[in-house]
């Protein structure tokens, strides 16, 4: 009932208010209902209720749940009245130290009823909701709801709820006061300052080593872990309801004033609080003869604001409890067998800690402006929560130890003591005798060999016996037999240690209050995370979110979804923040190590070599202000070990953060299994991907990028240091690294960001290959790289530093087979666009090319036909570009093949770098849907076009063959690869004989080049020998042509002379 009513208080929140209450059309009806409530004329003033008339079914369905909840309050009130009157009629005896359960349930009933009424009075729209329901009900059914008059009357009666409640509880003053005064020994003992706790060595197992194995027990077991917040709620609200005892009983006054000095706010339910001084003063201000009590309230308010009885005292208590719980955890972790005899200490520690946390939560949210803020801010809350969770975990982990100990205790001690106590009773009525005999027999028959235990029936019988023996003139008055109460209370605690440990943990350490104070919870986390010493305890915050499911109620399923979302949001927020901090520290350490590794790269050794070379010479004096460069390893030299450097601080921080992951491997939040380390892995994966991309330093404007080998060295440094993380936490770093590096072989990572594969593909296409197409960069078969030409213009990079074997091997290792496949696809797209343009040029010159193909052995006609042929230079240029792209692709594939020895298909083999006579990727790229015959004709004519255009190359001064490079300065040597691979691909698609077609090309090209040799006086002869070598390269490159075929159509003597001519300009040196 209380939860239902609390749920309806959200009507006052504009964000959560039901839509029909904010509807403009309903505004006049709501005003009319509020004005006339409860006597509303639904028929005479229909003009004011037309909006409800139009939507009566929607109004009825939307307000039904509210109306039924208010009816539940009436029903609950009736039952409370009946029960309280019965208790008064029986003149029941209450004493929290004797009949604990009976007294506690009585006081809880009073407080719950009061909380329901006060919470109900805070629902601003209750009259509108009930009035709208009854109006829609009458319009639908023709009559008002039968319960409406009582409900309306109740709302009027509780317009001033405290006044009405004090009138109701006037007849119950005696019973309530008796129950409250039984706290006069318990509450003051619990409400002590931290100094007294410390001097008494409270909760310490080490204070009395000789008694460490003794069972912790006392005469008031349940009172020892009874929540102080609960007792304060009983005292404050109880004496407000029965205030007459404050004027007549000094003990009541003292207990009441002690409660008033403990704080400013009390929790009614969840986040509904009571300003105890304001409410008390407002109530007593209207009652004659209470001026002294008002003065007492003001005095207590002053104490609550400024004295040690409030904020400062609670701050010191939390400080003490942090140390006490830490000691308790350490001892019990080392000796879990002590959980049996010292279980009471655990529940006392949990209960005391929970009380202090609840006090801080409700006061920090409603902190008055006059307060000293330090008393309401605790940046060490993480530690207290952490050790509470530790104790909870120990109780669950060693539950069988606790159970076994207490089963033996119940059977071998409690049963005997209880039997002796019963035997010594001089009066024992039959019904009570049957109950007590059953207690003894149940306990005596216990054995550790039993698999299941259930003492709920025994505890219920004990509550029933308390009720029987607490009424006036009972045959067996319990107050006359305190020993029986002590033994049974002790026995009840021991039974709970056997079958109700989870219930006890819920009772003493449940912190679901944070679910309703998310702002306070997040603020505490932020404050704790800013403290370096608190980082090891941060995991307690997300773990507390697992408590939130306990704050719901099966009878209120409508709120479960919103609570689940809130709990998961908080839990995920905390875990992400912890993971973010941890990953930041881990990656900072990796960055530092990467910088150290970078200093050891070969590129940084030039200065050292230079210094060593001239070490015998006198060193010049360093210039003024110039700082000498430190050698690698200088950072490890320390003059004073106590001085911590940055790496020391980072490793210390990492140790602290990783320690918090040891609290638990996983936990459950509303049926969701949460694994904290997965959040860390996710953060590391995201951040590492970003760092790797950032390490490439790709600048699209300046076309700058990190060398692949340098990037690979940096990644290896990161990976090596990441593996050290597994020394701190049980995480699969190998899986993390594989996931990140595998994503870098794809065009986009899992978050849609650019990868190393994309960046290097763009750079090689836009920078290196584009300049190679313009002959600013030359392909060097001898050196297996590309080299930048010497020009007057300033170059942004040197091609040989990015394309030699070591760099391409590093690139292959970085992007892998998947990355190479993406690179190859982009290269093929460029080749396809060139092939398309070549076909267009063939079509434009088709007639001339057909004639040249048929008349290639007629020199006179060929001369005339060449004059009609256009675009020869363009064809050779485009074929050279194709050759450059294919040469680059072959170099990268060659570097990759060592990494993938097991390949199952031609396509995969090609992607992995294994050579194929016919390139499957090229075949797939140039394949189209045109007629095979037409394609075959175009392909043959394209080869003719290339063959007859070869002499034009001799006119280019850059066509000279460079012996050092093993190729021509304008990259025309790449034509050999382009012609062979493109022809093989085209004729494979057309299912034609590749060898036959290439023979025809060789014959035509030889004839054309032989005609070039006849022009002795023309400019073409300048680079004639270099062009002759191109023909030899085509045959050497082709798997379908042989030297015999070449000699049959082109004299070998010309090739020999050509080689002698191009090589004689180079000076051969030995040694």
């Amino acid at each position: 009932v209380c939860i239902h009513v609390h749920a309806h208080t959200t009507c006052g929140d504009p964000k959560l208010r039901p839509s029909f209450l904010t509807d403009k059309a309903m505004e006049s009806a709501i005003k009319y209902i509020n004005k006339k409530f409860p006597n509303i004329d639904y028929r005479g003033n229909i003009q004011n209720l037309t909006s409800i008339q139009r939507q009566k079914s929607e109004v009825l369905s939307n307000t039904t749940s509210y109306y039924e909840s208010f009816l539940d309050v009436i029903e609950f009130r009736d039952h409370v009245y009946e029960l309280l009157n019965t208790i008064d009629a029986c003149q029941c005896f209450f004493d929290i130290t004797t009949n604990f359960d009976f007294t506690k349930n009585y006081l809880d009933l009073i407080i719950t009823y009061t909380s329901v009424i006060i919470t109900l009075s805070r629902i601003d729209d209750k009259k509108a909701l009930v009035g709208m329901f009854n109006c829609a009900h009458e319009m639908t059914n023709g009559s008002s709801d039968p319960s409406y008059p009582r409900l309306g009357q109740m709302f009027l009666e509780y317009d001033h709820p405290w006044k009405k409640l004090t009138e109701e509880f006037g007849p119950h003053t005696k019973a309530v006061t008796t129950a409250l005064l039984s706290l006069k020994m318990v509450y003051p003992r619990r409400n002590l300052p931290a100094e007294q706790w410390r001097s008494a060595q409270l909760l310490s197992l080490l204070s009395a080593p000789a008694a460490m194995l003794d069972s912790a027990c006392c005469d008031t077991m349940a009172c020892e872990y009874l929540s102080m917040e609960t007792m304060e709620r009983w005292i404050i609200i109880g004496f407000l309801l029965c205030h007459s005892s404050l004027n007549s009983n000094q003990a009541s006054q003292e207990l009441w004033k002690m409660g008033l000095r403990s704080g400013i706010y009390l929790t009614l339910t969840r986040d509904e609080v009571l300003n105890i001084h304001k409410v008390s003063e407002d109530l007593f201000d209207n009652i004659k003869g209470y001026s002294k009590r008002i003065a007492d309230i003001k005095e207590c308010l002053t104490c609550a604001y400024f004295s040690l009885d409030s904020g400062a005292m609670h701050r010191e208590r939390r400080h003490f409890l942090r140390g006490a719980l830490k000691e308790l955890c350490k001892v019990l972790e080392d000796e879990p067998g002590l959980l049996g005899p010292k279980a009471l200490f655990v529940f006392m520690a949990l209960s005391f800690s929970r009380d202090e946390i609840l006090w801080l939560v409700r006061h920090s949210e409603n902190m008055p402006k006059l307060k000293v803020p330090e008393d309401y801010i605790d940046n060490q809350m993480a530690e207290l929560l952490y050790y509470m969770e530790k104790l909870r975990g120990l109780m669950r982990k060693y539950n069988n130890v606790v159970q076994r100990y207490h089963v033996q205790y119940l059977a071998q001690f409690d049963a005997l003591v209880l039997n002796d106590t019963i035997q010594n009773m001089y009066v024992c009525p039959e019904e009570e005798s049957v109950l007590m005999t059953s207690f003894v027999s149940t306990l005596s028959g216990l054995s550790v060999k039993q698999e299941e235990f259930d003492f709920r029936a025994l505890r219920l019988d004990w509550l029933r016996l308390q009720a029987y023996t607490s009424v006036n003139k009972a045959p067996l008055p319990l107050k006359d037999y305190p020993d029986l109460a002590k033994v049974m209370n002790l026995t009840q605690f021991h039974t709970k240690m056997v079958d109700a440990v989870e219930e006890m943990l819920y009772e003493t350490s449940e912190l679901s209050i944070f679910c309703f104070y998310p702002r306070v919870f997040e603020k505490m986390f932020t404050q704790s995370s800013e403290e370096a010493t608190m980082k090891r305890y941060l995991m307690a915050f997300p773990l507390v979110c697992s408590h939130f499911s306990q704050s719901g109620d099966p009878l209120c399923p409508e709120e479960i979804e919103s609570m689940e979302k809130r709990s998961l949001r908080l839990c995920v927020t905390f875990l992400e923040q912890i993971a973010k901090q941890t990953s930041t520290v881990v990656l900072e350490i990796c960055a530092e190590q990467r910088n150290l590794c970078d200093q050891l790269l070969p590129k940084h050794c030039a200065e050292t070599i230079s210094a060593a070379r001239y070490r015998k010479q006198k060193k010049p004096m360093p210039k003024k202000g110039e700082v000498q460069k430190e050698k690698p390893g200088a950072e490890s030299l320390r003059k004073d070990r106590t001085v911590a450097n940055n790496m020391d601080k980072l490793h210390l921080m990492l140790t602290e953060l990783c320690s918090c992951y040891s609290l638990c491997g996983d936990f459950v939040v509303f049926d969701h299994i949460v694994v904290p380390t997965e959040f860390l892995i996710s953060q590391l994966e995201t951040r590492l991907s970003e760092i790797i991309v950032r390490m490439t330093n790709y600048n699209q404007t300046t076309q700058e990028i990190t060398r692949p080998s340098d990037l690979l060295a940096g990644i290896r440094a990161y990976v090596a240091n990441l593996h050290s993380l597994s020394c701190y936490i049980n995480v699969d770093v190998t899986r993390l690294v594989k996931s990140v590096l595998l994503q870098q072989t794809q065009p986009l990572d899992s978050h849609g960001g650019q990868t190393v594969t994309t960046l290097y593909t763009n750079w090689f296409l836009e920078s290196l290959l584009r300049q190679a197409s313009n002959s600013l960069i030359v392909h060097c078969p001898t050196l297996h790289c590309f080299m930048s030409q010497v020009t007057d213009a300033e170059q942004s990079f040197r091609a040989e530093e990015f394309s030699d074997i070591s760099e391409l091997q590093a690139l292959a290792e970085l992007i892998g087979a998947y990355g190479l496949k993406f690179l190859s696809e982009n290269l093929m797209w460029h080749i396809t666009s060139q092939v398309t343009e070549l076909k267009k040029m063939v079509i434009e010159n088709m007639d001339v090319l057909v004639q040249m193909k048929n008349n290639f052995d007629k020199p006179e006609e060929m001369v005339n036909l060449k004059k009609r042929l256009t675009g020869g230079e363009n064809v050779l240029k485009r074929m050279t570009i194709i050759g450059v792209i294919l040469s680059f692709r072959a170099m990268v594939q060659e570097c990759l093949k060592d990494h993938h020895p097991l390949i199952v298909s031609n396509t995969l083999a090609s992607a992995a770098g294994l050579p194929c006579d016919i390139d499957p990727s090229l075949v797939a790229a140039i394949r189209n849907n045109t007629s095979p015959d037409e394609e075959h004709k175009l392909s043959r004519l394209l080869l003719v076009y290339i063959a007859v255009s070869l002499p034009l190359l001799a006119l280019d001064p850059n066509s000279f063959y460079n012996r050092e490079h093993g190729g021509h300065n304008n990259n025309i040597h790449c034509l050999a690869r382009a012609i062979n691979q493109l022809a093989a691909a085209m004729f494979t698609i057309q299912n034609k004989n590749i060898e036959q077609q290439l023979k025809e090309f060789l014959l035509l090209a030889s004839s054309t080049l032989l005609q070039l040799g006849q022009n002795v006086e023309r400019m073409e002869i300048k680079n004639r020998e270099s062009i002759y070598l191109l023909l030899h390269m085509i045959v050497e490159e082709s798997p379908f042509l042989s030297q015999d075929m070449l000699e049959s159509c082109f004299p070998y003597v010309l090739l020999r002379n050509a080689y002698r001519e191009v090589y004689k300009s180079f000076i051969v040196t030995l040694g």
Side-chain angles (χ1 to χ4, degrees):
V1 174
C2 193
I3 291 174
H4 265 300
V5 174
H6 174 267
H8 298 329
T9 58
T10 56
C11 293
D13 188 340
K15 295 180 182 178
L16 303 175
R17 202 176 187 199
S19 57
F20 60 88
L21 288 178
T22 57
D23 189 354
K24 287 288 184 183
M26 291 287 182
E27 193 172 331
S28 60
I30 292 172
K31 285 183 179 178
Y32 175 74
I33 290 171
N34 282 328
K35 183 178 179 181
K36 297 295 183 179
F37 187 86
N39 302 314
I40 304 168
D41 186 358
Y42 297 110
R43 297 176 182 175
N45 289 278
I46 193 66
Q47 68 276 7
N48 292 315
L49 304 172
T50 50
S51 56
I52 297 179
Q53 174 69 37
R54 294 194 202 100
Q55 305 177 46
K56 57 186 177 183
S57 58
E58 289 83 356
V59 170
L60 197 62
S61 63
N62 287 329
T63 56
T64 297
S65 64
Y66 295 93
Y67 190 82
E68 290 177 350
S69 296
F70 296 143
L71 289 182
D72 289 341
V73 175
I74 288 184
E75 185 178 357
F76 176 61
R77 186 182 67 162
D78 292 343
H79 288 303
V80 171
Y81 279 179
E82 181 183 356
L83 185 54
L84 291 177
N85 290 331
T86 302
I87 289 173
D88 276 356
C90 294
Q91 299 180 19
C92 291
F93 156 75
F94 295 106
D95 188 339
I96 197 75
T97 61
T98 304
N99 50 2
F100 175 84
D101 299 299
F102 191 53
T103 304
K104 181 180 183 295
N105 289 333
Y106 176 69
L107 292 172
D108 280 342
L109 175 67
I110 295 169
I111 302 308
T112 303
Y113 173 67
T114 305
S115 300
V116 168
I117 298 301
I118 298 301
T119 307
L120 178 67
S121 69
R122 295 181 177 183
I123 302 176
D124 298 329
D125 296 305
K126 57 182 178 293
K127 294 180 181 179
L129 291 167
V130 171
M132 290 173 74
F133 173 86
N134 196 51
C135 177
H137 187 278
E138 183 159 324
M139 291 174 178
T140 304
N141 301 306
S143 62
S144 295
D145 184 78
S147 303
Y148 174 71
R150 284 197 68 200
L151 197 53
Q153 184 60 34
M154 185 183 74
F155 285 176
L156 292 179
E157 289 176 355
Y158 289 107
D159 269 347
H160 301 285
W162 286 107
K163 182 180 179 181
K164 177 63 176 174
L165 285 169
T166 54
E167 293 174 1
E168 291 175 351
F169 276 89
H172 312 304
T173 299
K174 182 180 178 181
V176 173
T177 302
T178 303
L180 293 175
L181 287 177
S182 67
L183 296 169
K184 64 184 178 182
M185 296 300 294
V186 178
Y187 179 65
R189 189 172 74 235
R190 283 288 305 278
N191 196 15
L192 295 173
E195 290 78 10
Q196 293 190 36
W197 283 359
R198 194 172 286 110
S199 62
Q201 294 186 310
L202 186 70
L203 303 176
S204 176
L205 297 180
L206 304 177
S207 59
M212 190 174 286
L213 295 178
D214 295 348
S215 178
C217 59
C218 63
D219 294 341
T220 55
M221 288 292 285
C223 295
E224 299 306 314
Y225 55 85
L226 178 61
S227 169
M228 194 161 69
E229 183 199 32
T230 300
M231 289 191 281
E232 288 171 354
R233 197 182 297 124
W234 290 345
I235 292 167
I236 300 298
I237 295 178
F239 283 125
L240 275 176
L241 298 176
C242 306
H243 52 77
S244 60
S245 64
L246 295 175
N247 282 339
S248 58
N249 193 317
Q250 184 64 29
S252 298
Q253 277 187 36
E254 292 176 359
L255 194 60
W256 173 66
K257 286 195 286 187
M258 188 179 295
L260 287 176
R261 284 194 292 267
S262 65
I264 303 167
Y265 295 94
L266 270 183
T267 301
L268 286 175
T269 178
R270 293 182 174 176
D271 57 344
E272 288 292 322
V273 295
L274 194 68
N275 188 326
I276 56 179
H277 302 91
K278 185 178 183 303
V279 169
S280 302
E281 188 173 352
D282 290 345
L283 177 62
F284 294 163
D285 201 31
N286 297 319
I287 304 175
K288 291 182 179 180
Y290 278 79
S291 57
K292 290 184 178 180
R293 300 293 77 77
I294 294 174
D296 290 338
I297 292 169
K298 292 180 178 179
E299 178 190 346
C300 294
L301 179 61
T302 304
C303 291
Y305 268 103
F306 302 112
S307 77
L308 291 176
D309 287 340
S310 188
M313 183 178 74
H314 287 278
R315 185 185 67 233
E316 289 302 315
R317 281 182 185 170
R318 293 193 300 275
H319 178 66
F320 167 80
L321 287 170
R322 277 190 284 270
L325 264 68
K326 182 177 182 178
E327 178 190 307
L328 195 60
C329 282
K330 296 295 183 184
V331 173
L332 293 177
E333 275 185 314
D334 191 50
E335 294 291 342
L338 291 174
L339 282 167
K342 302 300 181 184
L344 179 62
F345 278 59
V346 174
F347 292 108
M348 287 173 63
L350 292 174
S351 181
F352 289 9
S353 302
R354 178 175 180 265
D355 282 334
E356 295 307 316
I357 292 171
L358 295 182
W359 186 94
L360 184 63
V361 168
R362 65 178 181 267
H363 283 84
S364 60
E365 177 71 359
N366 305 284
M367 186 178 69
K369 295 179 181 179
L370 298 175
K371 290 303 297 178
V372 180
E374 292 79 18
D375 293 344
Y376 295 84
I377 295 174
D378 192 344
N379 53 14
Q380 296 181 323
M381 180 56 70
E383 185 176 3
L384 188 57
L385 293 174
Y386 179 87
Y387 285 116
M388 285 183 70
E389 292 298 331
K390 267 282 191 185
L391 287 176
R392 285 166 59 92
L394 287 172
M395 287 300 295
R396 291 192 179 105
K397 182 177 180 180
Y398 298 106
N399 183 39
N400 60 328
V401 174
V402 178
Q403 187 183 73
R404 185 181 182 88
Y405 177 86
H406 285 95
V407 166
Q408 294 176 334
Y409 202 103
L410 286 166
Q412 299 172 19
F413 181 80
D414 288 338
L416 301 178
V417 173
L418 180 59
N419 187 49
D420 290 345
T421 304
I422 295 172
Q423 295 299 326
N424 293 331
M425 295 172 63
Y426 54 87
V427 176
C428 192
E430 183 179 355
E431 192 168 355
E432 285 81 348
S433 177
V434 169
L435 286 174
M436 289 188 284
T437 304
S438 71
F439 295 162
V440 175
S441 61
T442 301
L443 299 178
S444 301
L446 291 175
S447 170
V448 292
K449 295 181 180 179
Q450 287 180 238
E451 294 183 0
E452 293 184 0
F453 300 93
D454 188 353
F455 293 105
R456 287 177 296 177
L458 185 146
R459 291 192 289 269
L460 186 60
D461 283 343
W462 168 230
L463 176 59
R464 187 181 296 118
L465 184 61
Q466 290 177 58
Y468 292 164
T469 57
S470 297
V471 299
N472 189 32
K473 297 181 181 179
L476 178 66
L478 188 60
K479 60 184 176 182
D480 294 341
Y481 296 95
D483 290 339
L484 174 63
K486 292 173 186 176
V487 172
M488 281 308 301
N489 285 332
L490 179 62
T491 301
Q492 178 168 265
F493 174 78
H494 291 159
T495 62
K496 288 183 177 182
M497 293 299 97
V498 176
D499 70 336
V501 169
E502 277 297 329
E503 292 177 20
M504 288 289 290
L505 290 175
Y506 171 78
E507 182 183 340
T508 56
S509 60
E510 176 266 334
L511 293 170
S512 61
I513 189 71
F514 281 118
C515 185
F516 308 101
Y517 288 95
R519 195 168 64 87
V520 174
F521 200 26
E522 290 174 310
K523 187 177 179 181
M524 286 180 175
F525 175 81
T526 304
Q527 291 166 350
S528 295
S529 62
E530 290 171 355
E531 290 288 323
T533 56
M534 289 295 109
K535 293 188 183 295
R536 63 169 53 225
Y537 307 119
L538 291 178
M539 193 56 66
F541 284 94
L543 199 56
V544 166
C545 296
S546 63
H547 299 198
F548 295 173
S549 58
Q550 298 171 335
S551 62
D553 191 279
L555 297 178
C556 298
E558 64 274 7
E559 67 173 1
I560 298 299
E561 184 179 354
S562 62
M563 290 173 60
E564 181 178 355
K565 289 180 179 178
R566 191 184 313 157
S567 304
L568 290 172
R569 182 188 67 80
L570 286 169
C571 182
V572 169
T573 300
F574 295 148
L575 287 171
E576 285 181 346
Q577 288 296 320
I578 296 170
K580 195 173 291 184
Q581 290 186 37
T582 308
S583 60
T584 299
V585 175
V586 170
L587 294 174
E588 281 183 14
I589 293 174
C590 291
E592 290 280 350
Q593 291 292 337
R594 185 232 171 181
N595 292 336
L596 295 176
C597 292
D598 186 71
Q599 294 176 21
L600 297 175
L601 291 179
K603 65 181 181 179
H604 294 298
C605 68
E607 294 181 13
T608 305
I609 294 173
S610 177
R613 187 176 179 183
Y614 298 105
R615 64 182 178 272
K616 293 184 180 180
Q617 299 179 2
K618 187 177 181 180
K619 294 183 180 179
M621 295 294 292
K623 297 178 182 179
K624 189 175 182 180
E626 183 180 346
V627 180
Q628 288 188 342
K629 186 177 180 182
E630 289 185 344
K631 292 183 179 180
E635 71 284 344
S636 299
L637 299 176
R638 306 207 188 197
K639 294 181 180 179
D640 187 355
R641 190 62 187 83
T642 59
V643 178
N645 59 24
N646 187 44
M647 285 292 280
D648 293 334
K649 295 174 183 176
L650 288 174
H651 277 289
L652 178 61
M653 185 78 71
L654 179 61
T655 305
E656 292 290 318
L657 284 166
C658 290
S659 295
C660 77
Y661 286 92
S662 64
L663 182 58
C664 63
D666 57 73
F667 56 92
V668 178
V669 179
F670 277 97
D671 298 327
H672 296 266
I673 299 176
V674 180
V675 183
T677 52
E678 289 300 316
F679 286 82
L680 176 58
I681 290 175
S682 176
Q683 279 287 335
L684 284 172
E685 183 178 314
T686 304
R687 299 278 295 279
L688 187 58
S689 296
E690 294 172 355
I691 287 170
I692 290 174
V693 171
R694 200 159 53 241
M695 282 165 59
T696 59
N697 293 322
Y698 178 56
N699 188 322
Q700 195 168 7
T701 305
T702 61
Q703 293 300 316
E704 294 177 353
I705 200 167
T706 303
R707 292 170 62 182
S709 60
D710 290 349
L711 177 60
L712 183 61
I715 291 175
R716 283 174 174 166
Y718 267 85
V719 170
N721 281 278
L722 277 174
H723 277 287
S724 66
L725 182 63
S726 57
C727 299
Y728 297 90
I729 317 174
N730 185 21
V731 291
D732 190 350
V733 178
T734 303
R735 175 170 68 93
L736 163 69
V737 172
K738 283 183 177 179
S739 174
V740 171
L741 296 183
L742 185 61
Q743 288 182 46
Q744 293 303 312
T745 66
Q746 305 299 317
L748 299 173
D749 63 17
S750 59
H751 300 284
Q754 286 189 322
T755 61
V756 169
T757 295
T758 305
L759 296 178
Y760 275 111
T761 297
N762 293 341
W763 187 85
F764 276 106
L765 284 171
E766 299 298 326
S767 297
L768 191 142
L769 294 179
R770 186 178 294 277
Q771 293 190 37
S773 302
N774 297 323
S775 300
L776 297 175
I777 293 176
V778 62
H779 173 242
C780 305
T782 305
L783 302 177
H784 293 279
C785 70
F786 283 84
M787 291 188 69
S788 297
Q789 297 271 42
V790 179
T791 60
D792 296 334
E794 185 180 353
Q795 296 176 337
S796 59
F797 65 93
R798 295 178 62 190
E800 55 269 29
E801 293 182 357
F802 290 85
S803 60
D804 63 10
I805 291 178
S806 62
E807 296 301 327
L808 293 183
Q809 284 178 341
L811 178 67
E813 191 168 346
L814 285 170
I815 67 175
Y818 291 115
L820 180 59
K821 183 174 183 293
F822 176 73
L823 174 61
S824 178
E825 288 171 354
N826 280 269
L827 294 173
M828 290 303 161
W829 181 87
H830 284 272
I831 291 174
T832 304
S833 64
Q834 296 295 339
V835 171
T836 303
E837 294 300 320
L838 287 170
K839 288 181 179 178
K840 289 180 181 178
M841 296 175 67
V842 170
I843 292 171
E844 290 175 3
N845 296 274
M846 185 173 290
D847 294 339
V848 177
L849 291 172
V850 170
Q851 293 180 46
M852 294 183 82
K853 178 178 178 296
N854 296 329
N855 300 303
F856 73 92
D857 54 346
K858 301 174 181 179
E860 295 80 6
E861 289 190 26
M862 287 294 287
V863 171
N864 294 327
L865 289 171
K866 280 184 181 179
K867 293 178 181 178
R868 293 170 55 192
L869 186 67
T870 60
E873 296 88 348
N874 200 354
V875 168
L876 294 172
K877 180 69 174 175
R878 293 186 183 278
M879 285 298 295
T880 303
I881 292 173
I882 293 174
V884 169
I885 293 174
L886 290 173
S887 298
F888 171 74
R889 180 167 172 266
M891 289 167 60
V892 179
Q893 286 180 327
E894 180 68 24
C895 295
L896 182 70
K897 68 180 182 180
D898 295 335
H899 298 283
H900 297 272
L902 184 61
I903 303 297
V904 294
S905 72
N906 284 339
T907 304
L908 287 176
S910 176
L914 300 183
C916 299
D917 290 345
I918 303 169
D919 191 332
S921 300
L922 186 57
V923 171
I926 64 174
R927 187 187 297 273
N928 55 36
N929 297 323
T930 56
S931 167
D933 294 336
E934 182 68 22
E935 279 295 309
H936 179 58
K937 182 179 180 181
L938 290 176
S939 300
R940 294 183 67 184
L941 291 179
L942 176 59
L943 291 181
V944 172
Y945 206 160
I946 296 168
V948 299
S949 300
L950 288 177
L952 297 175
L953 296 172
L955 297 173
D956 187 351
N958 287 326
S959 295
F960 183 73
Y961 180 83
N962 189 321
R963 191 196 82 168
E964 288 183 351
H965 296 166
H968 301 75
N969 289 341
N970 57 358
N971 286 323
I972 60 173
H973 56 277
C974 296
L975 281 170
R977 187 181 296 273
I979 291 167
N980 280 295
Q981 292 198 16
L982 188 58
M986 291 189 300
F987 294 124
T988 298
I989 295 171
Q990 298 150 19
N991 200 21
K992 301 295 182 180
N993 189 313
I994 301 171
E995 182 178 337
Q996 182 62 37
Q997 304 302 326
L998 284 175
K999 279 183 180 179
E1000 291 181 7
F1001 166 78
L1002 187 62
L1003 186 62
L1004 185 57
S1006 301
S1007 175
T1008 308
L1009 291 179
L1010 285 173
Q1011 294 174 18
L1012 181 66
Q1014 299 173 3
N1015 301 324
V1016 179
E1017 297 179 356
R1018 293 181 58 180
M1019 287 292 294
E1020 295 174 355
I1021 66 168
K1022 184 175 181 180
N1023 293 318
R1024 182 178 58 190
E1025 285 75 15
S1026 296
I1027 306 306
Y1028 285 168
L1029 298 185
L1030 181 61
L1031 198 63
H1032 185 243
M1033 290 178 182
I1034 292 172
V1035 174
E1036 278 192 330
E1037 182 77 27
S1038 174
F1040 306 101
L1041 298 175
S1042 65
Q1043 293 296 333
D1044 293 340
M1045 294 179 189
L1046 178 60
E1047 283 195 36
S1048 66
C1049 55
F1050 193 86
Y1052 183 75
V1053 65
L1054 292 179
L1055 285 176
R1056 186 179 61 202
N1057 292 336
Y1059 271 109
R1060 184 188 303 117
E1061 185 68 26
V1062 298
Y1063 271 77
K1064 73 179 181 180
S1065 58
F1066 293 96
I1067 300 173
V1068 178
T1069 60
L1070 297 175

